[in-house]
């Protein structure tokens, strides 16, 4: 049986902190995941419209195997600037990959599309994401808010406001796994037009409403509901991180990222579409001091999926309303 960690956040994985920066007028923001020590990382993209930074270096056959931070941002391609702000903050602290007399912070990132959500995107010559990245890094801590914050500030899903979600699980062995995700999917996170989340079988306690699955299933449960027919049809992409305190190789981290994508499929219908840039980063901090046996690694991959599904539901469940929102928040449904 899995149980949630003490915070039920990705920061239950020792060695990680999260910072958020949001601009309510812009209806956008960014989220940074900081590693206290360089952590082994990997990435898997399964969506058809990704926007990324420094992801090639994460392939297992390449030289740099560890990262100093990961950044998730709104702003579509403009949001890739957030990584430069994170780099600047880390460089000031002397953090980064050592090359001669220089240190280069390794900060891969990914973006979601939130340019059509009712926010004021008339930012002038340069987009604000570099400064948001710097601000998010400076605010990083073990505790952080979910919902309409950071990279989830302007996120949406079909029919509802999206948000930033997180969850954690502790395996019977004591190993911890955590998820962080900005939920901005083309598809639906609820069963038809009901209030019930697709992720309900994995809910721990009442972390996203405690409603379970509907019984009987509504007639529209299997209908393909997307934003494709809405004004926000192109405002998509779910980007996330799965992290553990185990010691993993780059190849194992890649497998963990692949497994976490099952959480997208469990929580969003449909997921991984041609109009989503769905992506999962994986991190292994190694703070447990343990390498997994094969049976434990199988359990870890299963927990990656369930923990990610829970984080997705929690992000939408925690969203709060703001002026000019294109969709209502989940809490307003009756």
């Amino acid at each position: 049986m899995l149980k949630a960690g003490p915070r039920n956040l990705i920061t239950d994985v020792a060695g990680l902190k999260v910072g958020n920066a949001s601009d309510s007028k812009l209806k956008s923001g960014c989220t940074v995941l900081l590693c206290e020590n360089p952590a082994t990382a990997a990435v898997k993209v399964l969506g058809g419209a990704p926007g990324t930074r420094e992801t090639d270096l994460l392939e297992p056959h390449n030289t740099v195997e560890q990262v100093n931070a990961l950044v998730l941002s709104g702003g579509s391609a403009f949001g890739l600037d957030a990584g430069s702000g994170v780099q600047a903050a880390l460089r000031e602290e002397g953090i980064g990959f050592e090359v001669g007399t220089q240190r280069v912070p390794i900060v891969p990132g990914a973006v979601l599309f939130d340019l059509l959500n009712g926010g004021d995107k008339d930012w002038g010559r340069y987009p604000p994401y570099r400064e948001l990245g710097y601000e998010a890094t400076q605010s990083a801590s073990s505790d952080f808010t979910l919902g309409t914050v950071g990279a989830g500030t302007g996120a949406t899903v079909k029919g509802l406001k999206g948000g930033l979600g997180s969850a954690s699980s502790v395996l019977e062995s004591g190993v911890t796994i955590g998820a962080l995700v900005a939920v901005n999917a083309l598809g639906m996170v609820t069963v038809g037009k009901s209030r019930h989340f697709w992720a309900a079988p994995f809910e721990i306690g009442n972390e996203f409403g405690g409603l379970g699955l509907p019984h009987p299933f509504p007639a529209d449960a299997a209908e393909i509901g997307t934003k494709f027919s809405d004004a926000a049809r192109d405002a998509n992409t779910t980007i996330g991180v799965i992290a553990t305190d185990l010691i993993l190789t780059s190849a194992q981290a890649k497998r963990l990222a692949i497994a976490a994508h099952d959480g997208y499929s469990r929580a969003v219908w449909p997921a991984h579409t041609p109009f989503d840039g769905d992506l999962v980063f994986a991190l292994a901090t190694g703070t447990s001091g343990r390498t997994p046996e094969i049976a434990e690694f199988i359990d870890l991959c299963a927990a990656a999926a369930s923990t990610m599904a829970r984080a997705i539901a929690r992000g939408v469940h925690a969203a709060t309303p703001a002026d000019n929102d294109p969709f209502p928040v989940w809490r307003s449904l009756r």
Side-chain angles (χ1 to χ4, degrees):
M1 293 292 293
L2 298 176
K3 62 179 181 180
R7 296 184 183 88
N8 201 13
L9 299 172
I10 196 171
T11 48
D12 286 326
V13 176
L16 299 178
K17 293 183 179 180
V18 170
N20 288 305
S22 311
D23 185 323
S24 59
K25 182 181 178 182
L26 184 69
K27 278 187 181 290
S28 189
C30 73
T31 298
V32 61
L33 181 66
L34 294 183
C35 308
E36 293 181 5
N37 294 297
T40 301
V43 66
K44 183 63 179 179
V45 180
L46 288 182
T52 60
R53 165 197 166 105
E54 292 263 63
T55 50
D56 283 353
L57 68 82
L58 299 178
E59 291 301 323
H61 59 270
N62 288 333
T63 301
V64 178
E65 296 183 350
Q66 296 181 316
V67 302
N68 302 112
L70 295 170
V71 61
L72 309 177
S73 183
S76 188
F78 299 107
L80 294 173
D81 281 358
S84 295
V86 178
Q87 272 193 316
L90 294 179
R91 187 170 186 264
E92 287 178 350
E93 300 298 323
I95 295 171
F97 185 76
E98 188 172 355
V99 185
T101 60
Q102 297 296 312
R103 287 189 176 270
V104 182
I106 306 300
V107 186
V111 294
L112 56 81
F113 191 104
D114 59 1
L115 300 180
L116 302 175
N117 61 3
D120 182 0
K121 306 303 192 294
D122 186 16
W123 51 59
R125 176 169 293 175
Y126 298 110
Y129 292 97
R130 185 177 65 178
E131 295 306 317
L132 288 170
Y134 185 90
E135 179 184 338
T137 307
Q138 300 286 31
S139 71
S141 68
S142 298
D143 294 299
F144 59 96
T145 304
L146 303 184
T148 307
V149 66
T153 300
T156 61
V157 298
K158 169 61 177 176
L160 289 172
K161 197 167 181 179
L164 184 74
S166 189
S168 68
S169 301
V170 181
L171 281 65
E172 290 185 3
S173 63
V175 167
T176 301
I177 188 166
L180 177 72
V181 62
V183 189
N184 190 56
L186 181 71
M188 303 179 70
V189 298
T190 55
V191 182
K193 295 182 177 65
S194 76
R195 301 177 71 230
H196 299 261
F197 286 100
W198 279 115
F202 306 106
E203 186 172 14
I204 296 177
N206 297 320
E207 61 185 342
F208 45 86
L211 299 181
L213 287 171
H215 181 75
F217 270 78
D220 62 351
E223 290 183 7
I224 302 174
T226 72
K227 292 185 289 192
F228 198 74
S229 60
D230 301 329
R233 57 173 280 179
D234 298 321
N236 310 311
T237 294
T238 297
I239 47 179
V241 184
I242 195 76
T244 180
D245 55 4
L246 282 168
I247 300 169
L248 299 182
T249 65
S250 295
Q252 287 174 317
K254 180 90 170 185
R255 176 54 54 184
L256 191 66
I258 293 169
H261 271 287
D262 287 349
Y264 285 19
S265 298
R266 286 286 193 169
V268 180
W269 166 248
H272 305 126
T273 76
F275 277 79
D276 285 291
D278 293 349
L279 168 153
V280 176
F281 292 107
L283 275 181
T285 66
T287 50
S288 69
R290 294 181 47 223
T291 56
E293 299 293 336
I294 184 62
E296 185 176 35
F297 188 63
I298 291 171
D299 289 347
L300 184 75
C301 289
S306 64
T307 308
M308 183 62 75
R310 291 166 47 220
I312 288 171
R314 293 190 78 206
V316 176
H317 177 262
T320 53
D323 293 340
N324 301 317
D325 282 344
F327 296 119
V329 297
W330 179 87
R331 294 174 188 271
S332 70
L333 298 181
R334 294 293 181 266

